Amino acid sequence: MPGKTPSDSIIGDKLNHIFYSAEGRVIVTIHATNIYRIQQFFDACDRHNRKVAIDGKYLERVISIATREGFLKIPQHILLNWEKSLKCPVQELAILSSGSDGDPLTPMSNLADHIHKKLRLKENDLIIYAASQTPSNEKAVTNAIDRLMSQGARVVFGKDVHVSGHGSEEDIKLMLQLTRPKYVIPIDGEFKMMKAHQEIAESMGVQPSHVFLLDKGDVVEFSNGAARSSDSVPAGHLLVDGLGVGDVGNIVLRDRRLLSQDGTVIVVVTLGRRTKRILAGPEIITRGFVYVRESEDLLDQANHIVSNVLSKSLTQHVSEWSSLKSGIRDSLSRYFFDKTKRRPMILPIIMEF
C-alpha cells in the first residue's frame, strides 16, 4: 500500500467516542496478542465506568502474563469474573473476547450463529470487530457481520477500530534505509505483495540479484556471507484424517468431492465362471444420486444398458474384468449425464460363480 500505516494511537480517541454512544453491552472481539489494543480497550472502559469480563482462556492467559510483566496496566476494580458479569447492568458492562487460538473471528461468528457457549445477543448490544479483514477471511467476516446486523446488533469494524499491523510503502522504505540490508527476502502475503516489496527494495539500492522471491519449499542457502538459491524441499499442506497423517492425497480428496457432489452408483452382477453368462443382476444401488422410488424408469434403463454392455462384451469373448468394468462405467456415465446432467461415481462389482 502507498503511504504510511497510521499509528495505533489514533484508535484510542475513536474507541472513546464509540463507548460514549453505546447504550447496552460493548462486546469487543480482538486478537489476543494485540497488547496495545487491549490496553486501549481497558482505558476506554475505565474512562466510561464500565466493568470488564474476559471471554477466552487463551486471552485470559495473555492478559495475565502481560500484566505480570508490566506490559498491561489494568485497574483491578474494573475486572469481573463471568458469574458476576451476568448480574452487571448492561450499560455498565464491556466484554473482551477472543477465540481458542487467539483469533477475533470465531467468537463473533459463534455469536451470530447462536452457538457461543457464554454469550447471546441482547437488545442494544454493540459489537466491535477490532481486527483487519484479510483475503483469507474477508467473506467469513462479512457474513458474520451481516448476520449480526440482521438480528438488530450494531457492529463497528474497519478503520475506526483497527489499523493494520503491516507496514506500507513508506514504512518499508524507512526500514530499508535504516538497516541497509545486503539481501532481502519478502515473506508472507500474496505474490503481488512480495513483488511490490521487491520493487521497493530495488528502488532503495538493493541489487536485483540480492532479492529472492520464494515459493513454498524454495531454499536460500547462506555461506560465507553470500546467499544463493538452492534446491527445493517438500512443503505444503499436511492433511490429518483420523489417525492418519499425510496419507490422504489429491486422488482421495477428488473422490470425496465427487461423492459429496453427485453421489455414487454401485452395479453388482454375477457371471458364470464357465458359461460366461449373466447369472444374477445387474443390481444397481445408489447413494446420494437419485431418490429410487421416483427414478425407477431411470434405473431400469440403466439395468438394460449394463446387460447389453456385458452381453456384447462376452459375445466378443472379452472376459477381462477391467475391460468389463470400464465398459459399464463409461456407458452408465454417458447415460446418467444425458438424463440428469450429473456425474456420480460409478463402482462396478463383478462376481463369478
Side-chain angles (χ1 to χ4, degrees):
M1 293 289 292
K4 298 182 67 175
T5 299
S7 169
D8 269 314
S9 60
I10 67 173
I11 300 299
D13 290 338
K14 294 182 178 181
L15 278 178
N16 282 323
H17 178 73
I18 293 169
F19 270 66
Y20 178 79
S21 64
E23 298 178 2
R25 297 183 303 177
V26 177
I27 302 173
V28 180
T29 65
I30 195 169
H31 284 290
T33 53
N34 193 340
I35 302 299
Y36 191 80
R37 186 77 71 254
I38 293 173
Q39 182 66 67
Q40 290 175 317
F41 166 80
F42 278 107
D43 290 344
C45 290
D46 189 31
R47 182 170 182 175
H48 295 277
N49 299 315
R50 284 184 178 264
K51 302 296 184 180
V52 178
I54 300 172
D55 169 48
K57 292 183 179 180
Y58 185 87
L59 179 61
E60 288 179 353
R61 188 162 63 251
V62 170
I63 290 176
S64 175
I65 295 173
T67 303
R68 187 182 67 227
E69 298 299 324
F71 295 108
L72 280 177
K73 301 187 185 306
I74 302 174
Q76 291 302 308
H77 70 273
I78 69 173
L79 286 174
L80 293 179
N81 61 38
W82 197 259
E83 289 72 22
K84 290 184 179 180
S85 72
L86 300 176
K87 302 176 183 178
C88 182
V90 293
Q91 68 273 15
E92 299 177 8
L93 179 63
I95 298 170
L96 188 63
S97 182
S98 185
S100 59
D101 57 351
D103 72 289
L105 175 57
T106 299
M108 184 173 72
S109 182
N110 289 346
L111 185 59
D113 293 333
H114 307 286
I115 58 175
H116 197 288
K117 293 181 178 179
K118 296 180 178 179
L119 287 171
R120 290 294 181 270
L121 279 179
K122 293 183 178 181
E123 186 178 0
N124 295 325
D125 274 350
L126 168 62
I127 315 297
I128 298 177
Y129 181 72
S132 296
Q133 297 185 36
T134 65
S136 62
N137 72 8
E138 183 176 3
K139 186 175 181 180
V141 171
T142 300
N143 289 339
I145 292 173
D146 284 347
R147 296 196 299 276
L148 287 169
M149 286 185 168
S150 68
Q151 297 171 56
R154 178 186 168 201
V155 184
V156 181
F157 58 96
K159 62 182 180 180
D160 287 336
V161 289
H162 186 72
V163 296
S164 174
H166 299 279
S168 298
E169 181 176 348
E170 296 303 319
D171 301 306
I172 295 174
K173 286 182 177 179
L174 177 60
M175 178 191 69
L176 293 171
Q177 185 177 13
L178 293 174
T179 59
R180 298 204 174 275
K182 183 177 180 180
Y183 296 99
V184 173
I185 305 177
I187 61 171
D188 201 13
E190 300 169 352
F191 185 82
K192 64 182 180 182
M193 299 174 182
M194 295 192 290
K195 183 66 177 177
H197 195 158
Q198 177 191 35
E199 294 172 354
I200 293 172
E202 292 176 4
S203 73
M204 295 297 291
V206 180
Q207 296 181 33
S209 61
H210 287 188
V211 183
F212 298 91
L213 295 184
L214 306 179
D215 201 356
K216 290 180 180 178
D218 290 345
V219 175
V220 174
E221 183 179 300
F222 288 86
S223 178
N224 298 323
R228 65 179 183 86
S229 295
S230 185
D231 296 333
S232 297
V233 297
H237 296 296
L238 184 65
L239 302 180
V240 178
D241 185 24
L243 296 178
V245 178
D247 59 344
V248 174
N250 291 331
I251 295 177
V252 174
L253 291 178
R254 181 202 64 189
D255 288 346
R256 292 184 180 182
R257 186 166 57 250
L258 290 174
L259 287 170
S260 69
Q261 292 173 346
D262 293 332
T264 182
V265 174
I266 301 172
V267 182
V268 182
V269 63
T270 302
L271 302 180
R273 188 186 303 272
R274 295 181 180 178
T275 61
K276 300 301 180 182
R277 297 175 58 185
I278 299 175
L279 299 182
E283 180 182 1
I284 295 181
I285 304 167
T286 72
R287 290 293 183 271
F289 173 50
V290 293
Y291 184 49
V292 175
R293 293 184 180 179
E294 296 179 357
S295 307
E296 292 180 355
D297 292 341
L298 177 76
L299 299 181
D300 286 343
Q301 184 60 31
N303 264 314
H304 290 307
I305 291 174
V306 174
S307 298
N308 291 337
V309 169
L310 290 174
S311 298
K312 183 177 179 180
S313 297
L314 295 174
T315 301
Q316 297 174 352
H317 304 290
V318 177
S319 58
E320 288 289 333
W321 282 16
S322 59
S323 299
L324 296 176
K325 289 181 178 181
S326 179
I328 293 171
R329 192 180 297 111
D330 293 343
S331 299
L332 285 184
S333 181
R334 287 193 298 269
Y335 171 68
F336 286 140
F337 186 77
D338 289 341
K339 296 297 182 181
T340 67
K341 300 304 177 186
R342 282 176 273 174
R343 297 188 185 276
M345 179 176 288
I346 300 172
L347 302 174
I349 299 175
I350 300 176
M351 298 180 291
E352 282 188 341
F353 183 75

